[in-house]
Amino acid sequence: MTPLALVTGATSGIGRAFAERLAADGYDLILTGRREDRLAEFAAAHPERRVRTVVADLATDDGIGTVAALCAAEPLTMLVNNAGVAHYMPLAQLPAAKAHELVHVKVAAPTMLTRAAVAGMQERGTGKIVNVAGMIAFSGPADTSVMPRRAVYAGSLAYLVALSQTLNAELADTGVRVQVLCPGVVATEFHERQGLDLSAVPRMSAEDVVTASLRGFELGEAVTAPGVEDAGLLDAVFRADLAAFGGQRPELASRYR
């Protein structure tokens, strides 16, 4: 059978790059996004592939429900949870509507879409799920002189790291693989839509990010960081996490007495 991928946020950036690469690799596609014109443009440019386009806003419960129903009904080979929004600002200044949008797009949507897709993938004994996060997921200890104030955004990406690692372990031996993809700064429209000019900052191409993701599956990675040359740095983070988790005792630590 022809492999089938569903890509969210497919109208630009990393999502569009995934769609292009997967089409070139022989996948049929279900593409979702807010821009009907861009989805239609992609489908028209790839008449050789079966491309279904679905306009959906993953900042809404209805949008999530629409795409989750597709994830449950279609025999997906790959799910790419890529839809994103930034809203970098201090938490006290983050409007409630923007906080709602961010949490829906980067937490609720990938959770519910993955939940909808994974049962069928397990039944078929194969499948890949990519949750697109970012290296900002690891930036919690950085002070504001180094990084913009971004508590909700960073927290949502950190959630995707924990979700993906835990679910990948949960699905061991089922034939289903889960990867969290953590690029750094990427040359897309993403920051421009937030009013941020990063033209002077070295940026990775979206195509290279996709190449890293697909190669990451071949390497057996649950966490793929396209711009981190020394993978041992990530391994050290995860070993430290497990050491802290395993270092707990039922007695109050001495520093709290």
Side-chain angles (χ1 to χ4, degrees), residues 58-226:
L58 296 182
T60 68
D61 290 336
D62 286 346
I64 292 173
T66 295
V67 182
L70 288 170
C71 290
E74 298 291 339
L76 298 182
T77 309
M78 179 179 288
L79 168 63
V80 181
N81 285 309
N82 165 75
V85 63
H87 301 325
Y88 292 173
M89 62 186 70
L91 180 59
Q93 298 173 18
L94 182 64
K98 289 187 174 183
H100 180 278
E101 180 183 21
L102 179 51
V103 172
H104 264 64
V105 171
K106 293 308 292 182
V107 176
T111 301
M112 300 310 294
L113 270 53
T114 296
R115 175 189 174 278
V118 77
M121 288 182 172
Q122 284 184 276
E123 184 177 336
R124 293 185 293 276
T126 186
K128 295 181 175 70
I129 298 169
V130 180
N131 292 317
V132 180
M135 290 305 294
I136 283 179
F138 301 99
S139 71
D143 63 40
T144 55
S145 67
V146 178
M147 296 292 298
R149 297 179 184 182
R150 70 225 174 274
V152 179
Y153 183 67
S156 69
L157 299 191
Y159 167 80
L160 288 175
V161 173
L163 171 72
S164 302
Q165 288 178 298
T166 306
L167 183 58
N168 190 59
E170 181 179 311
L171 295 172
D173 302 323
T174 68
V176 183
R177 301 278 306 286
V178 183
Q179 174 197 95
V180 62
L181 179 59
C182 296
V185 183
V186 183
T188 70
E189 300 172 17
F190 182 77
H191 295 95
E192 295 171 16
R193 292 199 299 268
Q194 315 306 318
L196 301 173
D197 181 7
L198 297 185
S199 57
V201 177
R203 295 174 291 172
M204 183 175 288
S205 72
E207 292 75 16
D208 280 352
V209 173
V210 173
T211 294
S213 173
L214 299 181
R215 176 61 177 151
F217 277 116
E218 295 175 0
L219 295 172
E221 295 179 345
V223 180
T224 294

Side-chain angles (χ1 to χ4, degrees), residues 247-257:
Q248 58 187 320
R249 299 180 301 172
E251 298 85 17
L252 189 64
S254 59
R255 67 182 177 282
Y256 299 128
R257 295 173 190 163

